[in-house]
Amino acid sequence: MVDSVALFCTAGLLAGALYWFICVLGPAERKGKRASDLSGGSISAEKVRDNYDQYWSFFRRPKEIETAEKVPDFVDTFYNLVTDIYEWGWGQSFHFSPHIPGKSDKDATRIHEEMAVDLINVKPGQKILDAGCGVGGPMRAIAAHSKAQVTGITINEYQVQRANLHNKKAGLDSLCNVVCGNFLKMPFEENTFEGAYSIEATCHAPKLEEVYSEIFRVMKPGTLFVSYEWVTTEKYRDDDEEHKDVIQGIERGDALPGLRSYKDIAATAMKVGFEVVKEKDLAKPPSKPWWNRLKMGRLAYWRNHVVVVILSALGVAPKGTVDVHDMLFKTADYLTRGGETGIFSPMHMILCRKPEKASE
Protein backbone atom coordinates (compact mmCIF):
# COMPACT_ATOMS: atom_id res chain seq x y z
CA MET A 1 0.00 0.00 0.00
CA VAL A 2 2.79 2.36 0.99
CA ASP A 3 4.69 1.55 -2.21
CA SER A 4 1.60 2.29 -4.29
CA VAL A 5 1.13 5.67 -2.62
CA ALA A 6 4.81 6.51 -3.11
CA LEU A 7 4.60 5.51 -6.78
CA PHE A 8 1.45 7.57 -7.25
CA CYS A 9 3.05 10.61 -5.58
CA THR A 10 6.20 10.26 -7.67
CA ALA A 11 4.17 10.05 -10.87
CA GLY A 12 2.17 13.09 -9.80
CA LEU A 13 5.33 15.08 -9.10
CA LEU A 14 6.82 14.14 -12.48
CA ALA A 15 3.62 15.09 -14.29
CA GLY A 16 3.48 18.38 -12.39
CA ALA A 17 7.11 19.11 -13.17
CA LEU A 18 6.57 18.40 -16.86
CA TYR A 19 3.54 20.70 -16.91
CA TRP A 20 5.53 23.43 -15.13
CA PHE A 21 8.42 23.11 -17.58
CA ILE A 22 6.27 23.17 -20.68
CA CYS A 23 3.21 25.25 -19.88
CA VAL A 24 4.43 27.66 -17.21
CA LEU A 25 8.05 28.28 -18.15
CA GLY A 26 7.73 27.37 -21.81
CA PRO A 27 6.77 30.52 -23.71
CA ALA A 28 9.14 33.46 -24.04
CA GLU A 29 6.13 35.73 -24.27
CA ARG A 30 2.76 34.83 -22.82
CA LYS A 31 1.11 35.49 -26.17
CA GLY A 32 3.80 33.74 -28.21
CA LYS A 33 4.76 30.24 -29.25
CA ARG A 34 4.52 27.38 -26.75
CA ALA A 35 6.93 24.48 -26.47
CA SER A 36 4.23 21.98 -27.35
CA ASP A 37 3.73 23.78 -30.69
CA LEU A 38 7.33 23.52 -31.90
CA SER A 39 7.54 22.52 -35.54
CA GLY A 40 9.86 22.61 -38.54
CA GLY A 41 8.09 25.55 -40.12
CA SER A 42 7.21 24.68 -43.70
CA ILE A 43 9.25 21.46 -43.45
CA SER A 44 7.22 18.34 -42.70
CA ALA A 45 8.01 16.78 -39.32
CA GLU A 46 9.61 13.66 -40.76
CA LYS A 47 12.08 15.72 -42.83
CA VAL A 48 13.34 18.07 -40.10
CA ARG A 49 16.42 16.00 -39.25
CA ASP A 50 17.41 15.52 -42.90
CA ASN A 51 17.07 19.25 -43.55
CA TYR A 52 19.15 20.01 -40.46
CA ASP A 53 21.89 17.64 -41.66
CA GLN A 54 21.89 19.30 -45.10
CA TYR A 55 22.04 22.76 -43.53
CA TRP A 56 24.89 21.80 -41.22
CA SER A 57 26.87 20.28 -44.07
CA PHE A 58 26.45 23.41 -46.20
CA PHE A 59 27.39 25.94 -43.50
CA ARG A 60 30.12 23.87 -41.82
CA ARG A 61 32.80 26.21 -43.19
CA PRO A 62 30.93 29.41 -44.14
CA LYS A 63 33.84 31.26 -45.75
CA GLU A 64 34.54 28.28 -48.01
CA ILE A 65 31.05 28.17 -49.55
CA GLU A 66 31.52 27.90 -53.31
CA THR A 67 27.88 27.85 -54.45
CA ALA A 68 26.73 31.27 -53.24
CA GLU A 69 23.56 31.03 -55.32
CA LYS A 70 22.37 28.26 -52.95
CA VAL A 71 22.71 30.46 -49.84
CA PRO A 72 19.13 31.89 -49.97
CA ASP A 73 17.66 28.37 -50.10
CA PHE A 74 19.65 27.29 -47.06
CA VAL A 75 18.76 30.51 -45.21
CA ASP A 76 15.14 29.58 -45.90
CA THR A 77 15.83 26.10 -44.49
CA PHE A 78 17.51 27.64 -41.44
CA TYR A 79 14.45 29.75 -40.62
CA ASN A 80 12.12 26.81 -41.09
CA LEU A 81 14.22 25.00 -38.50
CA VAL A 82 14.64 27.82 -35.96
CA THR A 83 11.63 30.15 -36.21
CA ASP A 84 9.46 28.34 -33.66
CA ILE A 85 12.39 27.91 -31.27
CA TYR A 86 13.26 31.62 -31.58
CA GLU A 87 9.69 32.68 -30.90
CA TRP A 88 9.36 30.32 -27.96
CA GLY A 89 12.76 30.93 -26.37
CA TRP A 90 13.49 34.55 -27.34
CA GLY A 91 10.43 36.40 -28.62
CA GLN A 92 9.06 37.84 -31.86
CA SER A 93 12.02 40.16 -32.53
CA PHE A 94 14.91 38.07 -33.80
CA HIS A 95 17.69 40.48 -32.92
CA PHE A 96 19.74 41.93 -30.07
CA SER A 97 19.60 45.30 -28.33
CA PRO A 98 21.77 47.06 -25.74
CA HIS A 99 20.87 46.32 -22.14
CA ILE A 100 19.10 49.30 -20.53
CA PRO A 101 19.24 49.38 -16.71
CA GLY A 102 15.76 49.54 -15.24
CA LYS A 103 14.13 48.36 -18.48
CA SER A 104 12.90 44.90 -19.34
CA ASP A 105 14.39 43.03 -22.29
CA LYS A 106 11.12 43.59 -24.14
CA ASP A 107 11.25 47.37 -23.57
CA ALA A 108 14.94 47.56 -24.52
CA THR A 109 14.15 45.71 -27.75
CA ARG A 110 11.27 48.04 -28.58
CA ILE A 111 13.38 51.17 -27.94
CA HIS A 112 16.12 49.81 -30.21
CA GLU A 113 13.55 49.24 -32.97
CA GLU A 114 11.88 52.63 -32.57
CA MET A 115 15.27 54.31 -32.89
CA ALA A 116 15.64 52.82 -36.37
CA VAL A 117 12.46 54.41 -37.69
CA ASP A 118 13.20 57.71 -35.91
CA LEU A 119 16.50 57.85 -37.80
CA ILE A 120 14.82 57.67 -41.22
CA ASN A 121 12.37 60.50 -40.43
CA VAL A 122 9.18 58.97 -41.78
CA LYS A 123 5.73 60.50 -41.35
CA PRO A 124 2.43 58.75 -40.58
CA GLY A 125 1.03 57.07 -43.65
CA GLN A 126 4.29 56.91 -45.58
CA LYS A 127 5.32 53.58 -47.10
CA ILE A 128 8.51 52.05 -45.74
CA LEU A 129 10.33 48.75 -46.29
CA ASP A 130 11.48 46.21 -43.71
CA ALA A 131 14.16 44.19 -45.53
CA GLY A 132 14.33 40.80 -43.83
CA CYS A 133 11.39 41.14 -41.45
CA GLY A 134 11.25 37.70 -39.81
CA VAL A 135 7.96 37.21 -37.96
CA GLY A 136 7.51 40.97 -37.76
CA GLY A 137 8.38 41.91 -34.19
CA PRO A 138 10.28 45.09 -35.23
CA MET A 139 7.66 45.87 -37.87
CA ARG A 140 4.85 46.00 -35.32
CA ALA A 141 6.83 48.15 -32.89
CA ILE A 142 7.80 50.52 -35.71
CA ALA A 143 4.28 50.74 -37.15
CA ALA A 144 2.76 51.40 -33.73
CA HIS A 145 5.39 54.06 -33.01
CA SER A 146 5.46 55.86 -36.37
CA LYS A 147 2.05 55.05 -37.89
CA ALA A 148 3.88 54.41 -41.16
CA GLN A 149 2.71 51.77 -43.64
CA VAL A 150 5.30 49.01 -43.31
CA THR A 151 5.88 46.33 -45.93
CA GLY A 152 8.13 43.51 -44.83
CA ILE A 153 9.84 40.92 -46.98
CA THR A 154 11.15 37.54 -45.82
CA ILE A 155 12.35 34.57 -47.84
CA ASN A 156 10.53 32.16 -45.54
CA GLU A 157 6.86 31.36 -46.22
CA TYR A 158 6.28 30.11 -42.67
CA GLN A 159 7.47 33.45 -41.29
CA VAL A 160 5.01 35.23 -43.59
CA GLN A 161 2.18 33.21 -42.05
CA ARG A 162 3.40 33.87 -38.51
CA ALA A 163 3.96 37.58 -39.13
CA ASN A 164 0.54 38.17 -40.66
CA LEU A 165 -1.06 36.22 -37.79
CA HIS A 166 0.74 38.37 -35.21
CA ASN A 167 -0.10 41.56 -37.14
CA LYS A 168 -3.79 40.73 -37.02
CA LYS A 169 -3.71 39.77 -33.33
CA ALA A 170 -1.97 43.06 -32.53
CA GLY A 171 -4.57 45.04 -34.51
CA LEU A 172 -1.84 46.34 -36.81
CA ASP A 173 -2.74 44.52 -40.03
CA SER A 174 -3.91 47.83 -41.55
CA LEU A 175 -0.36 49.19 -41.17
CA CYS A 176 1.72 46.03 -41.64
CA ASN A 177 1.96 43.75 -44.65
CA VAL A 178 4.40 40.90 -45.27
CA VAL A 179 5.34 39.30 -48.56
CA CYS A 180 7.44 36.24 -49.30
CA GLY A 181 10.45 36.95 -51.47
CA ASN A 182 14.20 37.20 -51.79
CA PHE A 183 15.54 40.62 -50.82
CA LEU A 184 18.20 40.15 -53.51
CA LYS A 185 15.41 40.29 -56.12
CA MET A 186 12.46 42.11 -54.59
CA PRO A 187 9.01 42.11 -56.22
CA PHE A 188 8.64 45.90 -55.97
CA GLU A 189 8.82 48.67 -58.55
CA GLU A 190 11.60 51.25 -58.55
CA ASN A 191 11.12 54.28 -56.29
CA THR A 192 8.32 52.65 -54.27
CA PHE A 193 9.26 53.36 -50.64
CA GLU A 194 9.69 56.55 -48.66
CA GLY A 195 12.18 54.95 -46.33
CA ALA A 196 13.70 51.56 -45.52
CA TYR A 197 15.34 49.73 -42.66
CA SER A 198 16.94 46.36 -42.01
CA ILE A 199 17.58 45.02 -38.52
CA GLU A 200 20.29 42.35 -38.38
CA ALA A 201 19.10 40.74 -41.63
CA THR A 202 21.38 41.73 -44.52
CA CYS A 203 24.13 39.60 -42.95
CA HIS A 204 22.46 36.64 -44.70
CA ALA A 205 23.25 38.04 -48.15
CA PRO A 206 26.24 36.41 -49.86
CA LYS A 207 27.24 39.86 -51.13
CA LEU A 208 26.17 42.99 -49.27
CA GLU A 209 26.35 44.96 -52.51
CA GLU A 210 23.49 42.92 -53.98
CA VAL A 211 21.00 43.58 -51.20
CA TYR A 212 22.01 47.23 -50.82
CA SER A 213 21.54 47.71 -54.58
CA GLU A 214 18.02 46.29 -54.37
CA ILE A 215 17.10 48.47 -51.41
CA PHE A 216 18.52 51.50 -53.25
CA ARG A 217 16.43 50.62 -56.34
CA VAL A 218 13.07 50.44 -54.53
CA MET A 219 13.56 53.62 -52.47
CA LYS A 220 12.39 57.04 -53.64
CA PRO A 221 15.10 59.65 -54.25
CA GLY A 222 15.90 61.75 -51.18
CA THR A 223 14.75 59.10 -48.68
CA LEU A 224 16.72 57.40 -45.91
CA PHE A 225 17.78 53.82 -45.19
CA VAL A 226 19.15 52.52 -41.89
CA SER A 227 20.65 49.11 -41.21
CA TYR A 228 21.95 47.35 -38.10
CA GLU A 229 24.74 45.12 -39.42
CA TRP A 230 26.53 42.08 -38.00
CA VAL A 231 30.28 42.74 -38.32
CA THR A 232 33.71 41.89 -37.07
CA THR A 233 35.18 44.94 -35.31
CA GLU A 234 38.59 46.58 -35.29
CA LYS A 235 39.56 44.19 -32.46
CA TYR A 236 39.22 41.11 -34.63
CA ARG A 237 42.49 39.48 -35.72
CA ASP A 238 42.42 36.93 -38.52
CA ASP A 239 45.68 35.41 -37.27
CA ASP A 240 44.15 34.69 -33.83
CA GLU A 241 42.81 31.13 -33.80
CA GLU A 242 40.40 31.84 -30.94
CA HIS A 243 38.98 34.84 -32.80
CA LYS A 244 38.52 32.73 -35.94
CA ASP A 245 36.84 29.96 -33.94
CA VAL A 246 34.35 32.37 -32.36
CA ILE A 247 33.44 34.05 -35.64
CA GLN A 248 33.08 30.75 -37.48
CA GLY A 249 30.85 29.49 -34.67
CA ILE A 250 28.60 32.54 -35.08
CA GLU A 251 28.49 32.15 -38.86
CA ARG A 252 27.78 28.42 -38.75
CA GLY A 253 24.98 28.70 -36.19
CA ASP A 254 23.24 31.67 -37.79
CA ALA A 255 23.28 30.83 -41.53
CA LEU A 256 25.85 33.49 -42.41
CA PRO A 257 27.95 33.11 -45.59
CA GLY A 258 30.90 34.89 -43.94
CA LEU A 259 30.77 37.87 -41.57
CA ARG A 260 31.88 41.19 -43.00
CA SER A 261 34.33 43.64 -41.50
CA TYR A 262 32.96 46.90 -40.13
CA LYS A 263 35.19 48.65 -42.70
CA ASP A 264 33.21 47.17 -45.60
CA ILE A 265 29.78 48.56 -44.73
CA ALA A 266 30.08 52.23 -45.65
CA ALA A 267 32.24 51.43 -48.67
CA THR A 268 29.56 49.10 -50.01
CA ALA A 269 26.78 51.60 -49.39
CA MET A 270 28.62 54.29 -51.34
CA LYS A 271 29.48 51.86 -54.12
CA VAL A 272 25.78 51.26 -54.90
CA GLY A 273 25.02 55.01 -54.85
CA PHE A 274 24.05 55.87 -51.27
CA GLU A 275 25.31 58.90 -49.41
CA VAL A 276 26.43 57.90 -45.92
CA VAL A 277 24.81 60.20 -43.35
CA LYS A 278 25.98 58.50 -40.17
CA GLU A 279 27.82 55.38 -39.07
CA LYS A 280 28.14 54.15 -35.49
CA ASP A 281 28.60 50.88 -33.62
CA LEU A 282 25.66 50.93 -31.22
CA ALA A 283 27.26 48.16 -29.14
CA LYS A 284 30.14 50.33 -27.93
CA PRO A 285 30.17 52.16 -24.59
CA PRO A 286 28.30 53.92 -23.11
CA SER A 287 25.85 51.25 -24.36
CA LYS A 288 25.47 48.40 -21.89
CA PRO A 289 26.38 44.88 -23.02
CA TRP A 290 23.89 43.44 -25.51
CA TRP A 291 25.05 39.92 -24.61
CA ASN A 292 23.85 40.20 -20.99
CA ARG A 293 20.55 38.64 -21.99
CA LEU A 294 22.38 35.62 -23.39
CA LYS A 295 24.44 35.16 -20.22
CA MET A 296 21.49 35.66 -17.90
CA GLY A 297 19.49 33.21 -19.99
CA ARG A 298 21.83 30.22 -19.55
CA LEU A 299 19.47 28.55 -17.07
CA ALA A 300 16.56 29.15 -19.43
CA TYR A 301 18.50 27.60 -22.33
CA TRP A 302 19.23 24.50 -20.22
CA ARG A 303 15.61 24.31 -19.11
CA ASN A 304 14.37 24.72 -22.67
CA HIS A 305 16.75 22.04 -23.89
CA VAL A 306 15.35 19.59 -21.35
CA VAL A 307 11.85 20.45 -22.59
CA VAL A 308 12.86 19.89 -26.21
CA VAL A 309 14.46 16.53 -25.39
CA ILE A 310 11.30 15.41 -23.55
CA LEU A 311 8.94 16.58 -26.29
CA SER A 312 11.07 14.96 -28.98
CA ALA A 313 11.14 11.68 -27.05
CA LEU A 314 7.36 11.83 -26.71
CA GLY A 315 6.96 12.50 -30.43
CA VAL A 316 5.42 15.95 -29.84
CA ALA A 317 8.36 17.81 -31.39
CA PRO A 318 9.83 16.59 -34.70
CA LYS A 319 12.96 14.46 -34.67
CA GLY A 320 15.88 16.76 -35.27
CA THR A 321 14.52 19.53 -33.02
CA VAL A 322 17.01 18.52 -30.32
CA ASP A 323 19.88 18.93 -32.81
CA VAL A 324 18.63 22.37 -33.86
CA HIS A 325 18.24 23.55 -30.27
CA ASP A 326 21.68 22.20 -29.37
CA MET A 327 23.16 24.17 -32.30
CA LEU A 328 21.48 27.36 -31.09
CA PHE A 329 22.60 26.70 -27.50
CA LYS A 330 26.24 26.47 -28.65
CA THR A 331 25.85 29.49 -30.93
CA ALA A 332 24.68 31.57 -27.96
CA ASP A 333 28.02 30.84 -26.31
CA TYR A 334 29.95 31.94 -29.42
CA LEU A 335 27.88 35.14 -29.56
CA THR A 336 28.59 35.85 -25.90
CA ARG A 337 32.32 35.32 -26.43
CA GLY A 338 32.20 37.59 -29.46
CA GLY A 339 30.57 40.31 -27.40
CA GLU A 340 32.81 39.94 -24.36
CA THR A 341 36.01 40.06 -26.42
CA GLY A 342 34.69 42.96 -28.49
CA ILE A 343 35.54 41.27 -31.80
CA PHE A 344 31.90 41.07 -32.95
CA SER A 345 28.99 43.50 -33.06
CA PRO A 346 25.41 42.78 -34.16
CA MET A 347 24.47 46.44 -34.31
CA HIS A 348 26.88 48.38 -36.47
CA MET A 349 24.48 51.11 -37.57
CA ILE A 350 24.70 52.83 -40.93
CA LEU A 351 22.30 55.58 -42.02
CA CYS A 352 22.22 56.35 -45.75
CA ARG A 353 20.38 58.64 -48.14
CA LYS A 354 19.43 57.95 -51.73
CA PRO A 355 20.41 61.13 -53.56
CA GLU A 356 17.67 63.31 -54.99
CA LYS A 357 19.24 62.77 -58.37
CA ALA A 358 21.17 59.58 -58.97
CA SER A 359 24.56 60.04 -60.61
CA GLU A 360 24.74 59.20 -64.30
Side-chain angles (χ1 to χ4, degrees):
M1 179 68 177
V2 174
D3 289 343
S4 297
V5 172
L7 184 61
F8 179 80
C9 290
T10 301
L13 284 171
L14 288 173
L18 184 60
Y19 175 83
W20 181 71
F21 259 77
I22 296 175
C23 298
V24 178
L25 290 179
E29 299 177 85
R30 293 305 169 200
K31 297 180 181 178
K33 176 70 67 172
R34 287 189 175 275
S36 54
D37 297 327
L38 295 179
S39 74
S42 299
I43 301 171
S44 59
E46 65 272 12
K47 293 183 178 179
V48 168
R49 174 163 285 165
D50 286 344
N51 274 262
Y52 167 77
D53 290 341
Q54 292 168 20
Y55 165 82
W56 189 251
S57 177
F58 185 78
F59 275 103
R60 184 172 297 160
R61 294 181 178 84
K63 286 188 172 64
E64 297 176 18
I65 291 173
E66 296 179 357
T67 51
E69 66 273 9
K70 291 184 179 180
V71 169
D73 288 339
F74 277 97
V75 170
D76 182 28
T77 296
F78 174 77
Y79 279 111
N80 273 322
L81 294 171
V82 306
T83 290
D84 279 355
I85 294 176
Y86 276 0
E87 275 202 64
W88 168 55
W90 188 262
Q92 295 172 17
S93 294
F94 299 173
H95 65 82
F96 298 105
S97 58
H99 173 69
I100 303 177
K103 296 287 186 182
S104 67
D105 293 328
K106 190 173 182 179
D107 283 342
T109 296
R110 175 183 50 78
I111 290 167
H112 193 56
E113 292 163 350
E114 291 174 350
M115 181 177 67
V117 74
D118 288 342
L119 284 167
I120 60 175
N121 297 327
V122 298
K123 298 179 176 62
Q126 288 188 320
K127 293 168 61 178
I128 61 174
L129 171 69
D130 181 335
C133 65
V135 297
M139 168 191 296
R140 286 183 288 281
I142 283 170
H145 177 67
S146 68
K147 301 301 185 289
Q149 296 277 344
V150 188
T151 296
I153 184 169
T154 171
I155 199 168
N156 185 261
E157 180 61 45
Y158 182 65
Q159 289 190 336
V160 174
Q161 297 170 21
R162 295 293 298 167
N164 285 327
L165 175 66
H166 289 313
N167 292 343
K168 188 172 183 179
K169 283 185 176 180
L172 290 166
D173 48 326
S174 63
L175 291 177
C176 300
N177 179 53
V178 182
V179 299
C180 189
N182 186 344
F183 60 18
L184 302 179
K185 294 181 180 179
M186 290 190 276
F188 309 122
E189 298 292 330
E190 293 183 6
N191 306 325
T192 296
F193 297 101
E194 293 157 300
Y197 66 89
S198 185
I199 297 180
E200 301 182 28
T202 60
C203 50
H204 291 300
K207 295 181 180 179
L208 189 62
E209 181 180 344
E210 292 179 351
V211 63
Y212 274 15
S213 292
E214 269 295 271
I215 292 170
F216 184 90
R217 180 183 69 81
V218 302
M219 288 173 56
K220 292 183 177 180
T223 59
L224 295 167
F225 163 60
V226 66
S227 185
Y228 297 165
E229 295 287 344
W230 281 33
V231 298
T232 55
T233 72
E234 73 283 356
K235 293 184 178 181
Y236 174 74
R237 296 289 177 267
D238 199 45
D239 59 355
D240 187 311
E241 290 302 317
E242 183 179 356
H243 286 192
K244 288 170 66 175
D245 180 60
V246 168
I247 296 304
Q248 187 176 78
I250 293 171
E251 294 167 341
R252 194 168 48 223
D254 285 297
L256 308 180
L259 271 169
R260 288 172 265 274
S261 167
Y262 75 101
K263 295 182 290 187
D264 298 333
I265 307 304
T268 302
M270 291 187 288
K271 184 177 181 181
V272 305
F274 280 119
E275 299 170 349
V276 175
V277 177
K278 186 177 182 180
E279 186 178 17
K280 180 181 180 182
D281 187 347
L282 301 177
K284 289 187 175 180
S287 291
K288 303 300 181 184
W290 57 267
W291 62 91
N292 271 2
R293 186 177 175 188
L294 290 172
K295 291 185 69 174
M296 293 170 65
R298 288 184 188 276
L299 178 60
Y301 295 139
W302 174 85
R303 177 203 71 208
N304 287 356
H305 195 66
V306 172
V307 173
V308 170
V309 169
I310 292 171
L311 292 177
S312 184
L314 293 174
V316 176
K319 290 182 179 180
T321 307
V322 173
D323 297 316
V324 176
H325 193 268
D326 185 58
M327 176 186 72
L328 297 179
F329 186 96
K330 292 174 181 176
T331 304
D333 184 59
Y334 284 118
L335 288 162
T336 301
R337 288 164 61 189
E340 288 180 332
T341 57
I343 64 173
F344 164 73
S345 172
M347 52 192 75
H348 185 90
M349 185 276 291
I350 186 164
L351 178 64
C352 306
R353 178 181 287 108
K354 181 175 181 177
E356 288 286 355
K357 186 176 181 181
S359 58
E360 298 294 332

